[in-house]
């Protein structure tokens, strides 16, 4: 099936980076048509304030000559003019990339990897279902204060869910999908690998005890020792602790018993 054409704006102040992105889009994503370019907040604001200028996605560098791109987004949100999807294209910064992951905002790290760009474009949500206002709110909450962030987004098969991290009991892998098991008993299936959730959640008391299982340590009820050592979770589920991961996991349990947080 032929891909629907996507109208794009690029906001990038470095000409070399701008040309590089345009070339990659032309080669990897020919259905993405660049209909506007801006090198600053003021230039982008002028374009996006024109009611006749319509786009489906904006590729945004975060740091611009006249400030942060968030200043642009704040002004546009005040005018209710953010009706397009967003992909940040930026030099690697762990905390901005994590913020993108938590909120399901697309991102591509410089220098551009063609496969990452194609993946980001494939995830663009056209129309009202993109929930961009809510996704931006979660992005900015995490970006400005990562330690206070309490929610994350789950791109499930039937839509985007915004869930409390503290209500996740465990994550279970199935090929390139992850089943998210909630305290309520609800199960969400996300189109991301368990490794990506391990990287997102290990800083907030989650632990990968098996190649297929990532658990919230707050929901452990019991660890059963022996050759077939396993965890019993508060929901009654028995989770195998792999032999390879067991020594490091036992060290973690020891630290919890001693009241040391990691």
């Amino acid at each position: 099936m032929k891909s629907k054409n996507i109208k794009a704006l690029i906001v990038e102040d470095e000409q070399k980076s701008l040309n590089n992105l345009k070339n990659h889009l032309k080669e990897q994503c020919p259905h993405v048509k660049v209909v506007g370019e801006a090198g600053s907040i003021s230039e982008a604001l002028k374009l996006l304030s024109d009611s006749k200028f319509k786009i489906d996605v904006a590729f945004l560098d975060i740091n611009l000559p006249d400030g942060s791109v968030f200043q642009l987004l704040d002004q546009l949100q005040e005018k209710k003019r953010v009706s397009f999807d967003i992909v940040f294209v930026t030099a690697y910064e762990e905390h901005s990339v994590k913020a993108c992951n938590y909120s399901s905002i697309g991102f591509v790290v410089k220098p551009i990897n063609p496969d990452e760009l194609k993946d980001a474009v494939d995830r663009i949500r056209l129309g009202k279902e993109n929930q961009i206002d809510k996704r931006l709110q979660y992005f900015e909450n995490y970006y400005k204060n990562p330690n206070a962030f309490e929610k994350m987004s789950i791109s499930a098969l039937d839509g985007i869910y915004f869930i409390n991290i503290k209500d996740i009991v465990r994550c279970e892998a199935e090929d390139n999908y992850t089943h998210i098991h909630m305290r309520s008993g609800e199960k969400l299936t996300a189109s991301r690998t368990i490794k990506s959730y391990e990287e997102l959640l290990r800083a907030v008391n989650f632990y990968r005890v098996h190649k297929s299982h990532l658990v919230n340590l707050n929901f452990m009820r019991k660890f059963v020792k022996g050759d077939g050592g396993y965890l019993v979770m508060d929901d009654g589920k028995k989770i195998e602790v792999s032999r390879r991961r067991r020594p490091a996991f036992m060290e973690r349990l020891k630290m919890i018993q001693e009241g040391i947080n990691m």
Side-chain angles (χ1 to χ4, degrees):
M1 186 173 68
K2 188 177 179 181
S3 299
K4 175 181 169 60
N5 281 345
I6 294 174
K7 295 180 180 178
L9 165 69
I10 299 177
V11 181
E12 168 64 70
D13 64 309
E14 295 182 3
Q15 191 64 45
K16 184 177 178 180
S17 295
L18 173 66
N19 292 337
N20 189 37
L21 175 55
K22 287 170 65 177
N23 289 336
H24 277 302
L25 285 171
K26 187 175 181 179
E27 292 173 9
Q28 304 295 324
C29 313
H31 59 296
V32 177
K33 308 299 180 184
V34 178
V35 297
E37 301 171 13
S40 64
I41 293 171
S42 57
E43 288 179 12
L45 192 59
K46 184 177 180 180
L47 277 174
L48 292 167
S49 296
D50 183 348
S51 59
K52 295 179 182 178
F53 183 74
K54 303 289 185 183
I55 58 170
D56 300 303
V57 62
F59 293 90
L60 306 175
D61 188 13
I62 290 181
N63 297 309
L64 296 164
D66 49 351
S68 162
V69 77
F70 302 127
Q71 295 170 242
L72 168 66
L73 293 172
D74 287 344
Q75 291 183 63
L76 291 172
Q77 283 180 293
E78 286 176 12
K79 298 176 181 179
K80 300 190 182 300
R81 296 202 58 82
V82 183
S83 57
F84 47 85
D85 214 324
I86 289 170
V87 176
F88 288 115
V89 184
T90 185
Y92 180 76
E93 181 188 341
E94 183 179 6
H95 133 186
S96 63
V97 170
K98 278 190 175 182
C100 289
N101 278 324
Y102 273 120
S103 57
S104 283
I105 296 288
F107 72 93
V108 179
V109 174
K110 297 177 183 177
I112 293 172
N113 178 309
D115 291 334
E116 285 184 5
L117 177 62
K118 191 172 184 303
D119 183 60
V121 169
D122 287 343
R123 292 172 182 264
I124 291 171
R125 303 170 184 85
L126 300 176
K128 295 180 180 178
E129 69 273 15
N130 71 12
Q131 300 187 50
I132 191 64
D133 286 344
K134 189 177 287 188
R135 288 158 58 205
L136 276 174
Q137 177 187 343
Y138 288 136
F139 177 92
E140 291 200 47
N141 283 348
Y142 182 84
Y143 190 87
K144 293 174 180 176
N145 192 2
N147 293 325
F149 200 76
E150 296 179 351
K151 279 196 171 186
M152 68 182 291
S153 67
I154 301 292
S155 295
L157 301 177
D158 60 342
I160 306 169
Y161 292 80
F162 295 92
I163 61 174
N164 285 309
I165 293 172
K166 66 182 180 182
D167 291 334
I168 300 172
V169 176
R170 55 192 173 87
C171 302
E172 183 178 3
E174 183 180 353
D175 298 323
N176 289 325
Y177 294 89
T178 302
H179 302 300
I180 313 290
H181 297 268
M182 306 298 295
R183 179 161 54 178
S184 64
E186 184 180 14
K187 182 177 80 172
L188 304 173
T189 298
S191 53
R192 292 176 60 182
T193 64
I194 197 168
K195 180 174 175 58
S196 66
Y197 286 109
E198 178 188 14
E199 292 172 349
L200 281 173
L201 296 170
R202 62 187 171 194
V204 285
N205 230 25
F206 281 72
Y207 200 92
R208 183 92 172 267
V209 296
H210 187 276
K211 66 179 182 179
S212 299
H213 296 286
L214 174 70
V215 301
N216 184 341
L217 298 176
N218 291 303
F219 288 99
M220 292 187 302
R221 181 185 300 171
K222 180 182 179 183
F223 175 67
V224 178
K225 298 179 180 179
D227 288 341
Y230 61 89
L231 277 175
V232 180
M233 305 299 288
D234 282 350
D235 63 0
K237 178 70 176 178
K238 295 179 180 178
I239 305 292
E240 178 186 355
V241 178
S242 72
R243 185 180 299 274
R244 183 174 67 85
R245 298 172 189 267
R246 198 173 306 166
F249 179 63
M250 295 305 294
E251 281 297 314
R252 183 63 187 269
L253 290 185
K254 182 180 178 182
M255 290 179 178
I256 293 172
Q257 286 178 297
E258 294 173 353
I260 302 172
N261 286 322
M262 289 183 65

